[in-house]
Amino acid sequence: MSRAIKWSLGLGVVAYVVVVGVVVARAYLRMPDLVSSPTETRVTQAYRDDQLGVFEPADRDSFEGYPAGAEMRVPVRVPSDGDGVLYDWMGEPEVKQQAMPSRWAEGLEGDGAVEFFAYSLWYPSGDSPAEVAMSDFREIGSQRLLERSELDALGVPEAFHRLQVPTRYRAPVMRLLCRVRGMPVARLCRPLLGDARTGAAISYDLEELEEGYPAFAQAGEWCRLDTALLCWHDTPVKVSVQALTGDPERATLQREIGASVVFPDRLRVQWLDQADEEMEVEHSVNRFTPMEGWGGAGRQDLIDRLRDPSDPDRRVAWIKPSGGTPGSTRSLMVRVSSGEYLREHCGWRLSGENGYRWNWDYLGEADQMTIVAAEIEAGLDAGTPIELVFLPRRTELTCEIGGLPDAPNGREIANLFDLKIPHLILPEDPEDAEDLLLAMIAVATQYAWDFENLWEDHLPASMPADRTFRGATPRELLEFYLKSTPGSRLEIDEAEKLMKLNENREPWFTRLVEWVEGMF
């Protein structure tokens, strides 16, 4: 056989192998069938373990905390030679965490009653201002649209018709309107919505997203509770809400360092300080250096103690600015025996205010201490005492909503990959944008999701200039992602309702596939 024939045969074999490689690679990378039934159950193990999970009764959880009766000494305030302040509780006895009393009740205690009265929806569309009007309320039982005059006559406040638009995640919002009786202080929280046909959870607690505005408000007998609604089509909805109950316990906390109040067996709150910016707990106290000249001979003793992590008597917390914009808010900082009881059961207000606020920001743990802050508007009276209210128990309340006729997609839609999301704006940060895009695709189609980030340094060149998709379907969003993200790969586990992206991809395989596709 001549050399030319051998070369021809060799090249033919190579070409055949390459063509087969292309076929195999493209088969491996082809888009799976994108089908998501709006009625098929999502109660699978993968979906149950997912970020949203399934609609289930509230977990009657137990937790530990430091005993409320344990002493909290008045701390010494030590200014830093750099950022922040160190609070030193030297000599305070060591205490161990213990199981806290059960906080669950089988129903509202005493004469308390909550009526699920109406609901309203808001879907992002266009460049919404900071505050918008909610859509008309519908009666929960009959789905009847309620006239504004009818609600005014019932005493529903004007403010309940307006929504402060979420800024971090511009997801749709459902507002529940409830009427309470026999509850001078009401607190509704932990809303959970579920698709009654599929069993999927379709909401996320706005208070967990730290959007910066109260998801709950009470005005007389009326309460409103907002939650992120992760559903763009009409479907019957199950609703679960947790309500605090029990006789309200009240106390006044003076804004003097070391002042404290106790709610027996459950919670002790100690006033620390205030700052005109957002704060955080710095855990590396061994790097703290007191201001030059502070404490005389005691300055070096404190430095030595901070450098020794094995010191059993060390009770310190270093609180410093977190990097926010100074002057925008005022942080009111307290130490508490139980962060769980404070954030879940304790409301506060400045003396003389109407209504209670329930927003507390966790700053961190330090040496058997939990440090928490409440934020108020800058410029409020610095010395006004804080009035606290504590509701010791909680219970779960439920109802059902027959459908969402005001959703942008009707109940007749057969495949959730084909519904339209009216308005989706992605953040500037590439990784945050990728997280949000893939999460919205998954929740809109009621798929669990698991993925590895590939947008590490920059957004795709094909991204819309304003990072906004208008009227796109989950199918179109997924196609955009796969087309504009080199090395991306999609797998669908139909039985488990699980969507996997970019998993188990070795760099050599990615480079091979991209080279083969580039050749052909």
Side-chain angles (χ1 to χ4, degrees):
M1 184 180 295
S2 69
R3 184 182 297 273
I5 293 175
K6 289 180 179 180
W7 272 103
S8 297
L9 288 174
L11 290 173
V13 170
V14 170
Y16 175 79
V17 170
V18 170
V19 170
V20 170
V22 171
V23 172
V24 171
R26 286 182 173 169
Y28 185 71
L29 293 173
R30 71 180 178 84
M31 175 82 78
D33 293 335
L34 299 180
V35 177
S36 179
S37 166
T39 58
E40 190 174 343
T41 181
R42 267 38 173 206
V43 185
T44 68
Q45 191 58 52
Y47 208 96
R48 189 185 300 275
D49 295 339
D50 192 45
Q51 289 90 335
L52 292 184
V54 299
F55 183 87
E56 293 180 307
D59 182 18
R60 267 60 173 172
D61 57 329
S62 59
F63 61 95
E64 293 187 337
Y66 295 104
E71 176 187 11
M72 287 186 182
R73 294 196 172 178
V74 177
V76 175
R77 188 180 189 276
V78 185
S80 169
D81 66 351
D83 285 337
V85 173
L86 184 87
Y87 300 87
D88 185 2
W89 290 266
M90 184 176 64
E92 183 177 286
E94 181 180 6
V95 295
K96 301 294 185 182
Q97 288 196 348
Q98 61 184 31
M100 303 303 287
S102 174
R103 55 182 176 168
W104 283 95
E106 292 305 314
L108 294 169
E109 297 182 353
D111 297 328
V114 175
E115 175 190 2
F116 290 98
F117 187 78
Y119 76 94
S120 179
L121 304 180
W122 174 79
Y123 282 90
S125 61
D127 298 324
S128 300
E131 188 176 78
V132 297
M134 293 292 294
S135 64
D136 292 336
F137 280 98
R138 287 185 180 272
E139 197 172 49
I140 283 182
S142 67
Q143 292 277 17
R144 178 176 66 90
L145 282 172
L146 298 170
E147 297 290 339
R148 180 65 173 270
S149 59
E150 184 179 354
L151 294 172
D152 290 344
L154 290 171
V156 176
E158 162 66 25
F160 284 14
H161 295 279
R162 302 197 62 79
L163 170 74
Q164 187 175 332
V165 174
T167 55
R168 294 188 65 205
Y169 302 98
R170 293 170 66 88
V173 172
M174 174 181 281
R175 171 166 292 175
L176 295 170
L177 179 64
C178 300
R179 181 157 49 187
V180 299
R181 294 183 176 86
M183 300 171 68
V185 179
R187 166 62 165 159
L188 306 179
C189 58
R190 296 290 186 94
L192 178 63
L193 308 178
D195 188 323
R197 297 188 293 178
T198 66
I202 54 172
S203 66
Y204 200 88
D205 192 342
L206 284 173
E207 292 184 352
E208 296 291 332
L209 295 178
E210 298 181 353
E211 285 288 352
Y213 80 94
F216 169 80
Q218 179 184 10
E221 67 174 356
W222 293 103
C223 297
R224 65 132 178 103
L225 180 62
D226 297 345
T227 186
L229 171 66
L230 302 176
C231 182
W232 286 261
H233 66 285
D234 180 16
T235 189
V237 174
K238 293 184 177 181
V239 179
S240 166
V241 168
Q242 295 181 27
L244 300 190
T245 187
D247 292 332
E249 303 172 32
R250 293 178 170 85
T252 298
L253 180 63
Q254 299 298 327
R255 288 159 76 169
E256 301 171 358
I257 189 166
S260 66
V261 297
V262 180
F263 299 103
D265 300 327
R266 286 176 167 82
L267 179 65
R268 179 185 291 266
V269 183
Q270 183 185 59
W271 172 262
L272 287 185
D273 212 340
Q274 62 187 36
D276 289 333
E277 54 190 316
E278 295 180 6
M279 308 296 283
E280 65 183 0
V281 171
E282 170 59 61
H283 295 285
S284 302
V285 294
N286 61 316
R287 297 191 293 106
F288 179 86
T289 303
M291 179 182 293
E292 193 68 38
W294 176 88
R299 182 175 185 272
Q300 188 58 48
D301 291 340
L302 174 61
I303 292 175
D304 293 342
R305 198 154 51 87
L306 295 178
R307 303 300 187 267
D308 181 10
S310 64
D311 184 351
D313 296 324
R314 192 175 78 175
R315 302 282 183 276
V316 295
W318 180 10
I319 304 178
K320 58 190 292 189
S322 62
T325 303
S328 59
T329 61
R330 173 169 289 155
S331 295
L332 310 179
M333 295 174 287
V334 296
R335 173 191 173 187
V336 296
S337 60
S338 169
E340 187 83 8
Y341 262 129
L342 181 84
R343 288 176 288 162
E344 296 279 347
H345 290 262
C346 189
W348 66 277
R349 66 186 179 191
L350 297 180
S351 183
E353 285 187 321
N354 293 319
Y356 288 93
R357 314 184 194 203
W358 300 86
N359 56 311
W360 298 97
D361 295 325
Y362 173 80
L363 300 188
E365 300 275 346
D367 292 337
Q368 77 176 40
M369 292 171 293
T370 300
I371 310 299
V372 180
E375 291 189 357
I376 61 173
E377 299 78 10
L380 291 182
D381 183 7
T384 304
I386 296 176
E387 296 178 359
L388 302 177
V389 64
F390 186 79
L391 295 167
R393 308 268 278 165
R394 66 175 48 212
T395 192
E396 182 180 21
L397 308 175
T398 61
C399 75
E400 291 197 17
I401 298 174
L404 304 175
D406 301 314
N409 298 272
R411 195 174 299 197
E412 70 279 359
I413 191 163
N415 186 350
L416 297 182
F417 277 101
D418 296 326
L419 61 75
K420 289 188 179 296
I421 299 176
H423 193 266
L424 174 60
I425 182 169
L426 302 181
E428 294 183 14
D429 180 79
E431 189 168 317
D432 290 346
E434 186 178 18
D435 288 346
L436 183 58
L437 176 64
L438 297 180
M440 285 299 184
I441 293 170
V443 297
T445 57
Q446 294 189 11
Y447 262 86
W449 74 98
D450 192 6
F451 67 90
E452 298 291 334
N453 287 95
L454 296 180
W455 294 359
E456 296 179 354
D457 302 318
H458 55 82
L459 296 171
S462 55
M463 175 73 68
D466 58 358
R467 308 184 314 281
T468 301
F469 295 88
R470 296 172 175 84
T473 67
R475 183 188 306 277
E476 292 167 342
L477 294 173
L478 194 51
E479 290 173 347
F480 162 80
Y481 177 79
L482 294 172
K483 184 177 180 180
S484 62
T485 308
S488 59
R489 176 192 173 199
L490 170 67
E491 295 179 68
I492 296 285
D493 186 334
E494 175 64 25
E496 284 293 317
K497 302 301 179 187
L498 175 62
M499 181 186 302
K500 296 182 180 181
L501 282 136
N502 314 328
E503 287 197 337
N504 303 319
R505 295 297 305 275
E506 296 295 336
W508 67 266
F509 182 82
T510 299
R511 290 195 295 271
L512 172 63
V513 169
E514 291 175 351
W515 177 80
V516 169
E517 289 195 320
M519 292 287 293
F520 292 86

